[in-house]
């Protein structure tokens, strides 16, 4: 993936070093193009004094500064720990990209039918939990990174399970329920005050995964 500013190109390189150098900026651009940009909303929310103060910055303009900050935020997501080696990019598949863009995972096209009417209130909690995480993020980066690494470990175990199953079996209700348990785990880690409809923990999820493997 190569950053082409308004798009992302696909290019073949002569060696891994050149590929790695281009891949990170390319992934950042892909993430920025996939997720809604916060730049205009943030700019509108600033009072005039703050806007004037921030207009004097090394990036040149307030819009350029906010765009720079959005790039840095994307880099934080791309550096989140995964089981993939540290020297390898965190995104190779559509599913891995969707994992980074949280709302796209929860709210894809046709999300009402995919979620089911009975779970729509749960979906509201999940999105609210994401907002709570973002509110707390500046005050606890290390704790957030620890929580996310725990979620990623559970997600990796779940992904391995799904890949080992037939498409029909992977779509079964008990398998989908494990995915919902992972969403509830996120709520319990970042927004416990929102509550969960049943007890949830990493151990319970691993146990459910193990039960399917038997």
């Amino acid at each position: 993936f190569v950053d082409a500013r308004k798009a992302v190109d696909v290019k073949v390189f002569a060696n891994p070093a050149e590929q790695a150098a281009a891949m990170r900026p390319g992934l950042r651009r892909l993430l920025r193009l996939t997720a809604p940009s916060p730049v205009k909303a943030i700019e509108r929310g600033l009072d005039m004094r703050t806007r004037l103060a921030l207009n004097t910055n090394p990036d040149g303009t307030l819009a350029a500064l906010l765009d720079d900050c959005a790039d840095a935020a994307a880099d934080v997501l791309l550096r989140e720990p995964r089981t993939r080696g540290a020297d390898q990019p965190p995104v190779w598949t559509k599913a891995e990209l969707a994992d980074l863009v949280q709302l796209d995972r929860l709210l894809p096209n046709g999300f009402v039918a995919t979620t089911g009417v009975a779970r729509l209130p749960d979906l509201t909690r999940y999105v609210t939990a994401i907002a709570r995480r973002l509110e707390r993020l500046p005050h606890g980066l290390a704790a957030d990174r620890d929580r996310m690494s725990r979620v990623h470990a559970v997600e990796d175990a779940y992904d391995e399970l799904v890949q080992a199953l037939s498409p029909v079996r992977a779509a079964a209700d008990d398998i989908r329920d494990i995915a919902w348990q992972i969403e509830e785990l996120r709520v319990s880690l970042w927004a416990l005050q929102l509550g969960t409809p049943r007890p949830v923990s990493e151990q319970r999820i691993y146990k459910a995964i193990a039960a399917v493997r038997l």
Side-chain angles (χ1 to χ4, degrees), residues 76 79-81 137 140-150:
V76 170
R79 285 196 299 268
E80 284 188 345
L137 187 59
L141 289 174
D144 183 87
R145 190 176 297 113
D146 176 68
R147 293 187 187 102
M148 186 52 71
S149 67
R150 291 160 59 188

Side-chain angles (χ1 to χ4, degrees), residues 91-114:
V91 175
W92 278 109
T93 68
K94 182 178 180 180
E96 289 171 340
L97 178 64
D99 186 49
L100 289 180
V101 187
Q102 293 185 24
L103 288 180
D104 278 6
R105 185 191 73 250
L106 291 174
L107 306 174
N109 290 336
F111 74 93
V112 176
T114 301

Side-chain angles (χ1 to χ4, degrees), residues 3-78:
D3 182 4
R5 298 301 300 171
K6 294 185 178 180
V8 175
D9 292 339
V10 177
K11 183 178 179 180
V12 177
F13 290 89
N15 59 70
E18 291 181 5
Q19 182 267 348
M23 188 72 166
R24 182 69 61 173
L27 285 174
R28 178 205 296 152
R29 181 61 55 195
L30 182 61
L31 185 57
R32 290 287 313 277
L33 292 173
T34 303
S37 174
V39 171
K40 290 184 179 179
I42 294 174
E43 190 171 4
R44 286 195 300 268
L46 298 175
D47 60 66
M48 184 57 66
R49 177 176 293 183
T50 303
R51 289 165 63 93
L52 290 174
L54 291 178
N55 258 318
T56 304
N57 70 81
D59 284 327
T61 65
L62 173 58
L65 174 62
L66 294 176
D67 197 59
D68 192 5
C69 292
D71 280 346
D75 283 340
V76 170
L77 286 176
L78 292 171

Side-chain angles (χ1 to χ4, degrees), residues 21-213:
M23 188 72 166
R24 182 69 61 173
L27 285 174
R28 178 205 296 152
R29 181 61 55 195
L30 182 61
L31 185 57
R32 290 287 313 277
L33 292 173
T34 303
S37 174
V39 171
K40 290 184 179 179
I42 294 174
E43 190 171 4
R44 286 195 300 268
L46 298 175
D47 60 66
M48 184 57 66
R49 177 176 293 183
T50 303
R51 289 165 63 93
L52 290 174
L54 291 178
N55 258 318
T56 304
N57 70 81
D59 284 327
T61 65
L62 173 58
L65 174 62
L66 294 176
D67 197 59
D68 192 5
C69 292
D71 280 346
D75 283 340
V76 170
L77 286 176
L78 292 171
R79 285 196 299 268
E80 284 188 345
R82 301 291 294 185
T83 55
R84 192 189 299 281
D87 60 336
Q88 300 181 48
V91 175
W92 278 109
T93 68
K94 182 178 180 180
E96 289 171 340
L97 178 64
D99 186 49
L100 289 180
V101 187
Q102 293 185 24
L103 288 180
D104 278 6
R105 185 191 73 250
L106 291 174
L107 306 174
N109 290 336
F111 74 93
V112 176
T114 301
T115 303
V117 173
R119 283 198 177 272
L120 288 180
D122 294 329
L123 196 61
T124 301
R125 282 190 304 108
Y126 302 154
V127 174
T128 302
I130 291 173
R132 298 286 172 84
R133 178 196 176 193
L134 293 176
E135 290 170 1
R136 297 170 57 184
L137 187 59
H139 311 292
L141 289 174
D144 183 87
R145 190 176 297 113
D146 176 68
R147 293 187 187 102
M148 186 52 71
S149 67
R150 291 160 59 188
V151 172
H152 282 163
V154 174
E155 287 179 325
D156 289 338
Y158 174 74
D159 290 342
E160 290 177 6
L161 172 67
V162 171
Q163 291 169 9
L165 301 174
S166 68
V168 173
R169 182 69 182 95
D173 288 344
D174 61 332
I175 306 302
R176 294 183 63 192
D177 184 68
I178 297 175
W180 290 120
Q181 288 187 56
I182 295 175
E183 297 303 332
E184 295 294 348
L185 177 64
R186 291 175 181 272
V187 173
S188 72
L189 291 175
W190 279 284
L192 184 59
Q193 65 274 23
L194 295 178
T196 58
R198 54 178 165 165
V200 61
S201 68
E202 295 149 85
Q203 291 73 25
R204 289 175 184 271
I205 296 172
Y206 286 129
K207 185 177 179 179
I209 292 172
V212 174
R213 292 184 180 279

